[in-house]
Amino acid sequence: MSNHTVSPKEPKRAGSHGLTGRALAGLFWTFSGTGVQLVVQLLVIMALGRLLTPAEFGLMGAAAVIIALSQIVSQVGVGPAIIQRQELDSLHIRVAFSLSGILGFLLGVIIWFAAPAIAAFYRIPAVEPVLRGMSLLFPIDGLNTVGESLLARRLRFRLYAALDVGSYVFGYACIGVFLAWRGYGVWSLVAANLAQVTLRTISMYVATMHEVRPSLNLQASRELLSFGFGISLAQIGRVFSQQGDNMVVGRWLGPSALGIYGRAYTLMVMPAQVFGRIVNRVLFPVMAQVQDDPERLSRAYERALAVVALVALPISAFLLVVAPEFIPVLLGPAWTGVIVPFRLFTFSLLFRMSSMISDTLTNATGVVYARALRQAIYAAMVVAGALIGQRWGVGGVAVAVSLAMGVNYLVMAQLARSVTGLSWGRFVRAQSPGAFFAVLVGGATLIVVEAARMARVGNLPVLALAGLSAAAVAALALRLRPELFLGSHGSWAFDRGSDFLRKGVGRMAEFRAARPDLASSTEANLK
């Protein structure tokens, strides 16, 4: 009798019928959740930027390099393996829970005792207690690997988004801001991280109620780790590519410079992080279900590239123009040093977001070791570029890292093209409408902003006028020439999204008509 029994809670993998609809629903709910989290995150950044110093942010930035790397190792890729496997049984779940839990505990102990050596490497003694406080994250986060992966595998994106946003609001908007206001400095950021991860772990376990009996079955371990180890190698490379520059800045330029550089980098990648969460939670499980259909993968990849360009390029053009007003309004007058590196980073937003699409596709199709090699090369470019660029300060590091992002964008595109068969011509044409759109939005914004600056109306009015002008020009262009500024793929995404929203409004109207008493009661309670 086989030990591999099918979990009663594990649903059948979705067939092709209705997969597009489920993907669009997942995109909607995940985008809604991450959109709410983005707004809250901006408010938190505004509050913490006025309550904490660049040096305090720099201490957390230095610790974040080690934390991010160790979290990847603690999960050994079992989370993506749970999502990617065609057949998953309860034994796989038990083994994944055991592996991630044990490694999380071991890494927490290692970071606790290695904290003095890490602080000596940075030449920042104050990092040591911060690292020891953050070491408590590993055992907690390791226990959450299975819960969050099962929610993604089952395509329960609305619940995933709600739990993710709720834990962030509790950890940062409540605990973090309150403690910063009370004068706890960098420890407010430590407490915010611990509170967020703890609530997230508990709530996602309650939502899935997965098996927690320990097991280290060798066969199930090999099945998970054969895929998961390749994922972990690639993720380690990605951590160094995302954090290696912080390590260089922290060691050679000091915590205050790291605080400024880290704020610039964080603000640049916020749209990419929002998009990355959507891609990983929605497109990864969806692409994994059609991984044996190259035609559908190619079409999905091409459409995703087009949508990314339509989002990333206009945002980059807008932020490049308004950065001198945007940074003081968001962070406060003490952070004007962020403006230069932030503007330099705006050029790389498309590279970052498009590379995430390529990453997701290669993960979903199992090409994890080829991806890991490319991530290692990218990480080496980031670290080497940062070492060279630090001679010219944080601006020099920003230029070097942006160039490395551009090379990685092309390298990962080549790997994704080899999987899907997409030609370079189609690759370029898919993103051309986004480039046209960015030139239009950026040009209109520049004209209005320069006029407002000459009138000396202040930072907030300049931002308001810039936003209104960009929105007006975009709406007019999409109405008059949608084929030029959206293209066929952008038009497809716009039409599908509009249909989904209309259906949602229709279902709400039907509910109100069928249950007027309940609808009225709900509205009264909301008021």
Side-chain angles (χ1 to χ4, degrees):
M1 181 176 179
S2 174
N3 289 328
H4 290 231
T5 56
V6 177
S7 171
K9 293 182 179 293
E10 179 61 30
K12 294 181 179 180
R13 303 288 269 185
S16 59
H17 179 69
L19 190 59
T20 300
R22 297 183 71 182
L24 287 172
L27 286 170
F28 173 78
W29 289 114
T30 307
F31 180 79
S32 299
T34 51
V36 171
Q37 184 167 333
L38 178 61
V39 172
V40 175
Q41 190 174 358
L42 285 172
L43 294 175
V44 169
I45 287 174
M46 291 179 70
L48 294 179
R50 289 159 172 80
L51 295 171
L52 302 177
T53 66
E56 288 168 332
F57 274 107
L59 289 175
M60 179 56 70
V65 179
I66 307 301
I67 301 305
L69 177 62
S70 300
Q71 283 178 322
I72 298 300
V73 178
S74 71
Q75 297 177 5
V76 291
V78 295
I82 288 174
I83 299 172
Q84 195 266 350
R85 281 189 63 82
Q86 293 285 354
E87 299 295 333
L88 185 74
D89 58 40
S90 59
L91 186 58
H92 289 112
I93 294 173
R94 292 169 55 197
V95 168
F97 181 76
S98 302
L99 288 173
S100 56
I102 291 171
L103 283 174
F105 174 77
L106 291 176
L107 277 168
V109 173
I110 291 171
I111 295 300
W112 177 278
F113 288 105
I118 298 170
F121 166 81
Y122 274 117
R123 297 180 289 196
I124 306 175
V127 171
E128 179 183 338
V130 174
L131 278 168
R132 286 185 163 168
M134 293 290 285
S135 69
L136 301 175
L137 279 176
F138 301 126
I140 301 172
D141 204 31
L143 297 177
N144 190 41
T145 301
V146 172
E148 65 178 353
S149 301
L150 286 176
L151 284 177
R153 178 183 174 88
R154 297 168 183 172
L155 308 182
R156 299 178 66 186
F157 302 114
R158 177 165 52 179
L159 179 59
Y160 195 128
L163 298 179
D164 199 37
V165 172
S167 62
Y168 180 85
V169 170
F170 174 74
Y172 276 88
C174 298
I175 302 296
V177 172
F178 174 75
L179 291 179
W181 174 65
R182 296 292 296 172
Y184 284 89
V186 69
W187 291 103
S188 61
L189 301 176
V190 175
N193 274 277
L194 291 172
Q196 178 191 12
V197 171
T198 300
L199 180 60
R200 196 165 180 264
T201 298
I202 294 172
S203 59
M204 287 192 174
Y205 171 72
V206 171
T208 55
M209 298 300 292
H210 57 78
E211 286 267 18
V212 295
R213 287 183 298 154
S215 174
L216 294 175
N217 179 273
L218 292 179
Q219 177 63 28
S221 298
R222 282 194 295 267
E223 291 173 353
L224 290 173
L225 294 178
S226 62
F227 176 83
F229 186 68
I231 288 284
S232 290
L233 288 177
Q235 288 176 328
I236 290 171
R238 184 162 64 179
V239 167
F240 275 110
S241 69
Q242 294 175 357
Q243 302 288 348
D245 49 347
N246 289 335
M247 187 179 298
V248 170
V249 173
R251 190 179 195 280
W252 273 273
L253 300 180
S256 294
L258 178 56
I260 290 173
Y261 180 84
R263 288 297 87 189
Y265 188 88
T266 298
L267 290 174
M268 183 277 295
V269 302
M270 279 179 65
Q273 287 175 335
V274 169
F275 181 76
R277 282 193 287 268
I278 296 171
V279 168
N280 288 325
R281 295 175 191 174
V282 180
L283 292 187
F284 178 47
V286 170
M287 285 182 170
Q289 294 189 28
V290 296
Q291 59 187 283
D292 298 323
D293 190 341
E295 183 179 349
R296 295 179 71 185
L297 279 176
S298 177
R299 185 168 60 249
Y301 180 56
E302 188 176 6
R303 282 175 174 168
L305 289 173
V307 173
V308 165
L310 284 169
V311 173
L313 291 175
I315 289 176
S316 296
F318 181 82
L319 291 177
L320 175 65
V321 174
V322 303
E325 289 77 27
F326 177 68
I327 295 301
V329 167
L330 187 65
L331 299 177
W335 293 85
T336 53
V338 173
I339 295 173
V340 170
F342 177 75
R343 294 183 105 170
L344 294 170
F345 274 135
T346 58
F347 291 98
S348 59
L349 182 58
L350 174 68
F351 303 150
R352 183 71 182 272
M353 292 177 68
S354 183
S355 297
M356 289 179 175
I357 292 289
S358 301
D359 283 350
T360 299
L361 185 141
T362 52
N363 284 343
T365 54
V367 192
V368 292
Y369 290 98
R371 173 177 173 266
L373 175 61
R374 286 158 177 78
Q375 283 292 332
I377 295 171
Y378 173 40
M381 287 191 297
V382 167
V383 174
L387 284 170
I388 296 171
Q390 57 87 20
R391 300 175 183 177
W392 294 274
V394 293
V397 178
V399 170
V401 172
S402 296
L403 290 174
M405 288 183 186
V407 174
N408 182 62
Y409 159 74
L410 296 174
V411 169
M412 287 306 302
Q414 174 57 37
L415 180 59
R417 286 181 57 255
S418 69
V419 174
T420 62
L422 187 72
S423 68
W424 277 116
R426 289 172 61 188
F427 178 85
V428 172
R429 286 194 297 272
Q431 299 169 86
S432 297
F436 298 145
F437 202 17
V439 171
L440 180 69
V441 170
T445 303
L446 180 61
I447 293 171
V448 171
V449 166
E450 286 299 327
R453 287 170 181 164
M454 292 177 63
R456 301 183 183 276
V457 297
N459 289 338
L460 272 176
V462 168
L463 287 177
L465 290 170
L468 290 173
S469 63
V473 169
L476 183 62
L478 296 182
R479 182 175 181 84
L480 297 179
R481 296 293 302 276
E483 70 284 355
L484 176 63
F485 296 109
L486 282 180
S488 60
H489 298 301
S491 298
W492 177 90
F494 183 81
D495 292 342
R496 294 299 183 277
S498 299
D499 289 342
F500 181 81
L501 290 176
R502 279 196 295 269
K503 289 177 181 178
V505 172
R507 284 192 294 269
M508 181 61 68
E510 291 174 2
F511 168 77
R512 290 168 59 88
R515 298 293 303 276
D517 54 334
L518 183 58
S520 300
S521 174
T522 302
E523 290 179 356
N525 289 333
L526 289 174
K527 293 178 181 179

